[in-house]
Amino acid sequence: LLKKKGIKLIKLKTDKNNFFDLKFVLKQAYLLGCRNLLVEGGKTLTDTFFKKKLLDWKNEIIKSNSKILFVNNDQEISSPDIVDQASSQTEKTVEMRTLNRQRKLLAKIDQAINKIKNDTYGYCEETGEPIGIKRLVARPIATLSIEAQEKHERNEKIFADS
């Protein structure tokens, strides 16, 4: 009956943990000409995928920040050579900027994880429309749809030019 209506059922292969690669599935669906995809448990599936992706990203950032903090040595700052001191100070400034950016990114990741818990993840904060899987795969912390983001950037540019 489904085949007569043009609906094709595809059984997906999973790994030993019963997970599958969402990027692979979306690519295969696209190659098959599929423009609509209905997945049993789809909301749970995508939420789980993005939560894992966000948590992995968060852990990676925390791990890299720990390395920066532990590797940090202050020997050059007390060096009698003024060039070594300046170089060391510049390096520390760059490290602090990086840590600050990553701190802000961690906050955005936490916000995205909270949105998953609150069932508001994947919806544009400005329009309420779905953001879109492709955009979320590329930028899991996106809070605006592409159209809303472009509008925001145009307004920002106009304001900056004034």
Side-chain angles (χ1 to χ4, degrees):
L1 178 66
L2 294 174
K3 287 183 181 179
K4 288 181 183 178
K5 294 193 177 214
I7 297 173
K8 185 174 185 176
L9 293 176
I10 301 170
K11 184 167 173 134
L12 302 173
K13 293 180 183 177
T14 58
D15 65 13
K16 64 181 178 185
N17 297 318
N18 213 22
F19 290 113
F20 63 88
D21 183 357
L22 185 59
K23 285 183 190 179
F24 175 79
V25 171
L26 293 173
K27 183 177 181 181
Q28 293 305 311
Y30 181 80
L31 292 173
L32 289 169
C34 179
R35 298 299 172 254
N36 295 306
L37 185 63
L38 178 64
V39 179
E40 184 180 345
K43 177 83 173 108
T44 305
L45 180 74
T46 54
D47 284 356
T48 303
F49 171 81
F50 285 112
K51 187 173 182 181
K52 181 182 180 332
K53 187 174 177 102
L54 288 161
L55 288 171
D56 287 349
W57 193 11
K58 180 179 179 176
N59 291 333
E60 184 181 312
I61 291 168
I62 290 170
K63 189 176 176 182
S64 74
N65 284 352
S66 299
K67 287 180 185 174
I68 289 173
L69 293 173
F70 287 123
V71 171
N72 212 352
N73 71 37
D74 294 323
Q75 297 161 353
E76 297 294 325
I77 288 182
S78 61
S79 171
D81 185 6
I82 192 87
V83 175
D84 286 345
Q85 287 178 11
S87 175
S88 180
Q89 194 60 43
T90 302
E91 225 174 88
K92 295 233 180 289
T93 302
V94 169
E95 284 176 3
M96 292 309 292
R97 283 186 191 150
T98 300
L99 286 170
N100 192 39
R101 274 195 304 270
Q102 289 181 340
R103 182 183 54 79
K104 290 177 183 177
L105 181 56
L106 286 172
K108 288 180 180 183
I109 290 171
D110 285 338
Q111 287 172 345
I113 291 168
N114 284 333
K115 284 182 171 212
I116 290 171
K117 290 176 186 171
N118 299 331
D119 264 353
T120 57
Y121 181 76
Y123 293 96
C124 179
E125 289 180 350
E126 200 168 289
T127 65
E129 296 291 316
I131 291 175
I133 285 282
K134 280 185 181 179
R135 177 158 169 73
L136 290 172
V137 167
R139 183 142 179 92
I141 58 171
T143 58
L144 299 173
S145 65
I146 291 174
E147 296 80 16
Q149 182 68 37
E150 287 172 346
K151 180 182 173 190
H152 177 74
E153 288 172 3
R154 279 193 303 274
N155 290 342
E156 217 173 51
K157 184 176 176 0
I158 290 169
F159 183 73
D161 290 344
S162 299

